[in-house]
């Protein structure tokens, strides 16, 4: 009995000791995910390890994709580098030769090194200015779309009424931005899903940026403000139609069935996020229809006690900024 009590007392400490030693035995490699260079420029790339290793290790740079037949025509880099014993970093030089893209994954002959899913994506451009312009346009897109939500909220508050604002539109819009937020948060903040995306798209670049996440969360909060206003202000006897309720039921049933399939590992979590993006796409295609029909039925203009024209003008500007990256794509490849 005493031996059993002793075993119970020391078992947690033994398990903790084993876990610590197991974690310390694995060394992880880290490298920049994306390296952007101007044509004919040079850069120094550093690969780091989470802790020193006992013996030197060869790290191979395996090219998995090249936009040109010979990757060396895009970028010149070594095929392998040596990480010395007791060192935590190694650097190598690369030279950009021509516009294009090259993706390389790191692989080591040292079993203590965990280099799985560590990749470096080299992008050679004519000018980094275009990349900066693209990023600036993305944030302009975020600001313009975000500001476009406020005129309606202010108008509702001034009138103490939501008459003219269709409830089907509100319900569909809320669902759409919930789906959009789930998709963005998953691909931007969840490491497992980000890794799954990179495994499936070895040359892909994460489509979600910080401005996408902030926009979707901001839009979701503003939709909640609209719904709170609809609950407390004059509504003119409005309610969500049966057609909208059926559409919402189909959308959420699809989301919950997909969730169960993901939990049961019948589909991947990345696919689950893609399904949410389909919900957002479907909502975007139909959400303005009930608002337009409602305004026509009431024989009023959209700017009169309905959707504010200030917001609509901003929406037109948003569509310009949304498609501006397409222009950047053509400039980049010209």
């Amino acid at each position: 009995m005493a031996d059993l009590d002793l075993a119970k007392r020391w078992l947690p400490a033994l398990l903790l000791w084993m876990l610590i030693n197991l974690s310390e035995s694995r060394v992880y490699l880290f490298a920049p995910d994306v390296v952007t260079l101007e044509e004919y420029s040079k850069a120094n790339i550093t690969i780091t390890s989470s802790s020193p290793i006992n013996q030197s290790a060869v790290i191979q740079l395996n090219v998995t994709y090249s936009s040109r037949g010979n990757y060396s025509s895009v970028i010149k880099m070594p095929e392998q580098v040596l990480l010395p014993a007791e060192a935590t970093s190694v650097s190598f030089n690369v030279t950009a030769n021509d516009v294009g893209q090259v993706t390389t994954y790191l692989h080591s002959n040292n079993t203590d090194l965990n280099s799985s899913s560590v990749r470096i994506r080299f992008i050679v451009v004519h000018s980094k200015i275009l990349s900066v312009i693209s990023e600036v346009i993305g944030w302009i897109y975020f600001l313009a779309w975000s500001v476009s939500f406020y005129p309606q909220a202010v108008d509702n508050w001034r009138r103490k009424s939501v008459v003219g604002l269709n409830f089907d539109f509100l319900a569909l819009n809320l669902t759409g931005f919930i789906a959009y937020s789930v998709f963005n948060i998953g691909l931007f903040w969840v490491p497992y899903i980000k890794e799954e995306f990179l495994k499936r798209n070895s040359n892909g670049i994460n489509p979600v940026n910080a401005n996408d996440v902030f926009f979707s969360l901001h839009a979701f909060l503003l939709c909640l403000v609209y719904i709170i206003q609809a609950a407390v202000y004059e509504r003119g006897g409005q309610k969500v139609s049966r057609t909208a309720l059926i559409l919402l039921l189909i959308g959420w049933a699809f989301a919950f069935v997909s969730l169960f399939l993901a939990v049961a590992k019948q589909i991947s979590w990345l696919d689950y996020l893609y399904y949410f993006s389909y919900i957002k796409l479907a909502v975007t295609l139909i959400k303005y229809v009930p608002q337009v029909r409602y305004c026509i039925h009431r024989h009023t203009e959209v700017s009169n006690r309905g959707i504010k024209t200030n917001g609509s003008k901003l929406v037109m500007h948003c569509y310009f900024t949304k498609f501006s990256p397409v222009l950047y794509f053509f400039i980049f490849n010209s």
Side-chain angles (χ1 to χ4, degrees):
M1 189 68 178
D3 292 340
L4 183 60
D5 292 337
L6 184 63
K8 289 181 177 179
R9 184 183 304 172
W10 286 100
L11 183 59
L14 179 62
L15 290 174
L16 180 61
W17 178 83
M18 292 174 63
L19 288 173
I20 292 174
N21 280 272
L22 181 62
S23 62
E24 290 180 347
S25 64
R26 299 306 302 273
V27 179
Y28 294 87
L29 290 180
F30 303 95
D33 183 53
V34 179
V35 177
T36 303
L37 302 95
E38 289 187 353
E39 196 175 9
Y40 308 122
S41 67
K42 296 182 179 181
N44 185 264
I45 311 301
T46 300
I47 301 172
T48 59
S49 60
S50 57
S51 61
I53 55 176
N54 297 326
Q55 57 183 358
S56 60
V58 175
I59 302 174
Q60 297 177 340
L61 283 71
N62 296 328
V63 175
T64 59
Y65 173 84
S66 175
S67 58
R68 298 179 182 271
N70 185 1
Y71 77 87
S72 60
S73 64
V74 177
I75 193 166
K76 182 181 179 181
M77 62 181 177
E79 295 182 357
Q80 61 185 32
V81 293
L82 180 67
L83 178 63
E86 303 303 327
T88 58
S89 65
V90 59
S91 299
F92 61 94
N93 295 320
V94 296
T95 303
N97 294 326
D98 199 358
V99 173
Q101 301 175 19
V102 173
T103 302
T104 177
Y105 277 80
L106 305 186
H107 178 73
S108 175
N109 62 343
N110 192 321
T111 56
D112 291 337
L113 280 176
N114 185 357
S115 59
S116 60
S117 301
V118 180
R119 73 165 193 174
I120 306 176
R121 187 167 185 260
F122 297 98
I123 303 177
V124 181
V125 298
H126 288 297
S127 172
K128 285 188 177 180
I129 296 177
L130 292 178
S131 300
V132 173
I133 291 174
S134 177
E135 188 172 346
V136 169
I137 288 176
W139 282 105
I140 293 175
Y141 163 78
F142 159 73
L143 291 173
W145 267 114
S146 298
V147 172
S148 70
F149 281 86
Y150 285 92
Q152 185 65 59
V154 172
D155 187 56
N156 294 341
W157 173 72
R158 285 175 176 172
R159 296 187 296 120
K160 298 296 185 290
S161 170
V162 292
V163 174
L165 185 60
N166 186 266
F167 280 21
D168 289 358
F169 169 77
L170 292 181
L172 291 169
N173 214 23
L174 179 65
T175 295
F177 283 117
I178 290 175
Y180 192 35
S181 297
V182 170
F183 176 81
N184 286 338
I185 290 172
L187 268 178
F188 189 77
W189 272 322
V190 181
Y192 174 79
I193 296 178
K194 292 167 64 177
E195 182 178 336
E196 191 176 350
F197 174 83
L198 294 180
K199 286 181 178 178
R200 187 178 299 186
N201 307 275
S202 60
N203 188 53
I205 193 167
N206 196 322
V208 178
N209 297 316
N211 57 287
D212 298 313
V213 179
F214 290 126
F215 165 70
S216 59
L217 292 176
H218 175 269
F220 166 69
L221 293 176
L222 263 294
C223 286
L224 287 181
V225 170
Y226 289 163
I227 290 175
I228 292 173
Q229 290 178 329
V232 298
Y233 293 157
E234 178 191 355
R235 68 186 73 177
Q238 276 200 90
K239 62 181 181 179
V240 180
S241 70
R242 181 177 300 178
T243 301
L245 289 174
I246 292 174
L247 292 175
L248 292 171
L249 180 62
I250 293 173
W252 283 110
F254 177 64
F256 280 111
V257 169
S258 301
L259 175 62
F260 292 137
L261 291 175
V263 171
K265 297 183 178 180
Q266 298 300 308
I267 62 172
S268 68
W269 286 105
L270 181 61
D271 288 329
Y272 178 63
L273 288 189
Y274 284 155
Y275 294 161
F276 262 100
S277 71
Y278 301 154
I279 294 174
K280 167 58 179 172
L281 176 61
V283 168
T284 301
L285 292 174
I286 65 173
K287 68 179 182 180
Y288 293 109
V289 174
Q291 179 66 59
V292 173
R293 291 185 60 186
Y294 180 64
C295 290
I296 294 175
H297 179 72
R298 294 181 68 246
H299 300 288
T300 60
E301 294 184 0
V302 176
S303 60
N304 181 22
R305 294 179 179 268
I307 294 181
K308 296 292 289 179
T309 54
N310 292 339
S312 301
K313 291 175 182 177
L314 280 167
V315 166
M316 294 303 295
H317 177 66
C318 294
Y319 278 112
F320 167 76
T321 57
K322 187 172 185 178
F323 288 105
S324 291
V326 177
L327 298 178
Y328 164 72
F329 173 81
F330 286 110
I331 294 173
F332 169 78
N333 289 277
S334 62

